[in-house]
Amino acid sequence: MTHPLLTILPAVLIAGMGAAHAEPMKLADYMALNGPAPTLTLPYGKAPSQFAELFRPTGAGPFPVAVLVHGGCWTKEYGGIRQLRNLAGALKEQGIAVWNVEYRRVDEDGGGYPGTYQDINAALELLNTQAAPQQLDVQRVVAIGHSAGGQLVQWLAGRSRIAPSSPLFQPRFLPVRQIISLGGLADLRREQALIKSSCDRDMVDLTGLPSPTRPDVFADTNAAELMPNGSHTTLITGEFDTVSPPRVAHDYAARAKAAGDTATVIILPGASHYDEVAASSPSFQLVLPAIRRALGLPIAMEAAPLSPPHNK
């Protein structure tokens, strides 16, 4: 039986993907991903990891913007921003500007709670200030996060619901209503066991400790509890993703819809946790239309330039 929240994919597209896809990507394939150099690298803070990369298309803007937030289990161990240049380069060729965000992870000075979240806030503020000089259309923005980055982009959609007493509160910020989570683990309260088994991550790293003024550590960190917020979340997960299985996407989408927001689930046939982020994977044939749709761009699969399948 088809899950009621599952996006129905055209049979011809699924058949084509099945023929092209021989084997799901592995961690080593992901770690080998790279792409073109950014147009600009801009700091938003003083720490080495506080910067963003701009990939600006050629020609005159204003350009729609994809904010990319990498994953890696919230740690430096599994890379992140370099691997997302693979996707950034492909989107730049589509005429989409890319804001590829680096941030302090839990094993860096100042990372974890609240620093990691504050970095995402600061990176978005820098994007806002760069909109005019770089001809970026911040009225057309989609935030795309992979794995741990999925948690962070889903969180930023709910910033309007964070209490003023929280260290993560911002009185004014660039709103992002279109969210794409690629194998994200955003429901921190419900997915604690999975986050521990998939990433060996203690929840205190992501939520901090309770205090008299903040007794519930999930109140300002758990994206699933910062709804409704007026966003649409597209949850894209590989059929064989074991880090964030399809069940996680379906559960979050159901919770978003119950809260009053909207959500769509796309399951990538034959894909792993890494195919979903790679423009060099056949799965990009399903990821790209979701990105274009979120930005209000026409969907024309036959005209979309795709990278060749990754080498095995």
Side-chain angles (χ1 to χ4, degrees), residues 184-217:
L185 286 166
D187 196 338
L188 298 181
R189 191 190 297 272
R190 293 191 181 187
E191 304 297 347
Q192 292 184 66
L194 182 58
I195 290 170
K196 181 65 175 177
S197 63
S198 292
C199 286
D200 194 24
R201 187 64 52 232
D202 292 325
M203 196 51 57
V204 67
D205 293 338
L206 308 178
T207 63
L209 295 168
S211 68
T213 58
R214 187 175 167 265
D216 183 0
V217 296

Side-chain angles (χ1 to χ4, degrees), residues 30-171:
Y30 164 78
M31 293 299 290
L33 288 173
N34 206 339
T39 309
L40 288 173
T41 299
L42 299 164
Y44 59 80
K46 295 181 179 179
S49 293
Q50 292 179 311
F51 66 89
E53 298 177 337
L54 173 64
F55 293 77
R56 187 184 183 279
T58 57
F63 303 103
V65 182
V67 175
L68 300 188
V69 181
H70 69 78
C73 284
W74 300 274
T75 175
K76 296 183 295 182
E77 183 177 355
Y78 299 112
I81 194 167
R82 177 177 64 83
Q83 285 76 13
L84 281 196
R85 291 173 189 156
N86 182 262
L87 178 58
L91 295 181
K92 177 184 173 182
E93 291 302 311
Q94 292 275 320
I96 299 168
V98 175
W99 192 249
N100 194 21
V101 176
E102 186 58 282
Y103 55 93
R104 291 171 295 174
R105 272 67 57 88
V106 300
D107 48 357
E108 295 179 81
D109 288 344
Y113 183 91
T116 294
Y117 300 90
Q118 291 170 336
D119 284 0
I120 301 301
N121 277 338
L124 268 290
E125 287 308 297
L126 180 59
L127 168 62
N128 206 20
T129 65
Q130 289 295 313
Q134 299 299 331
Q135 295 185 299
L136 309 177
D137 184 356
V138 290
Q139 301 303 310
R140 291 186 294 164
V141 177
V142 58
I144 306 166
H146 176 232
S147 196
Q151 181 257 331
L152 292 170
V153 298
Q154 288 173 258
W155 167 83
L156 72 83
R159 290 182 293 172
S160 63
R161 298 186 64 88
I162 293 175
S165 58
S166 167
L168 309 185
F169 175 75
Q170 283 213 158

Side-chain angles (χ1 to χ4, degrees), residues 136-306:
L136 309 177
D137 184 356
V138 290
Q139 301 303 310
R140 291 186 294 164
V141 177
V142 58
I144 306 166
H146 176 232
S147 196
Q151 181 257 331
L152 292 170
V153 298
Q154 288 173 258
W155 167 83
L156 72 83
R159 290 182 293 172
S160 63
R161 298 186 64 88
I162 293 175
S165 58
S166 167
L168 309 185
F169 175 75
Q170 283 213 158
R172 294 177 300 278
F173 53 84
L174 175 66
V176 181
R177 302 297 182 216
Q178 291 291 332
I179 305 296
I180 296 180
S181 179
L182 304 170
L185 286 166
D187 196 338
L188 298 181
R189 191 190 297 272
R190 293 191 181 187
E191 304 297 347
Q192 292 184 66
L194 182 58
I195 290 170
K196 181 65 175 177
S197 63
S198 292
C199 286
D200 194 24
R201 187 64 52 232
D202 292 325
M203 196 51 57
V204 67
D205 293 338
L206 308 178
T207 63
L209 295 168
S211 68
T213 58
R214 187 175 167 265
D216 183 0
V217 296
F218 297 103
D220 58 352
T221 57
N222 191 16
E225 296 176 43
L226 297 175
M227 299 187 290
N229 54 54
S231 67
H232 178 81
T233 305
T234 302
L235 301 118
I236 304 179
T237 300
E239 178 185 6
F240 302 127
D241 189 332
T242 57
V243 176
S244 180
R247 188 272 307 162
V248 174
H250 289 306
D251 286 356
Y252 191 93
R255 191 166 184 185
K257 296 184 88 170
D261 287 331
T262 59
T264 303
V265 173
I266 299 174
I267 303 302
L268 304 172
S272 72
H273 188 63
Y274 309 109
D275 294 90
E276 55 206 29
V277 76
S280 49
S281 166
S283 293
F284 190 55
Q285 296 176 70
L286 299 181
V287 175
L288 176 60
I291 294 171
R292 292 183 63 89
R293 188 177 298 111
L295 291 169
L297 299 174
I299 310 301
M301 286 301 300
E302 68 281 3
L306 301 179

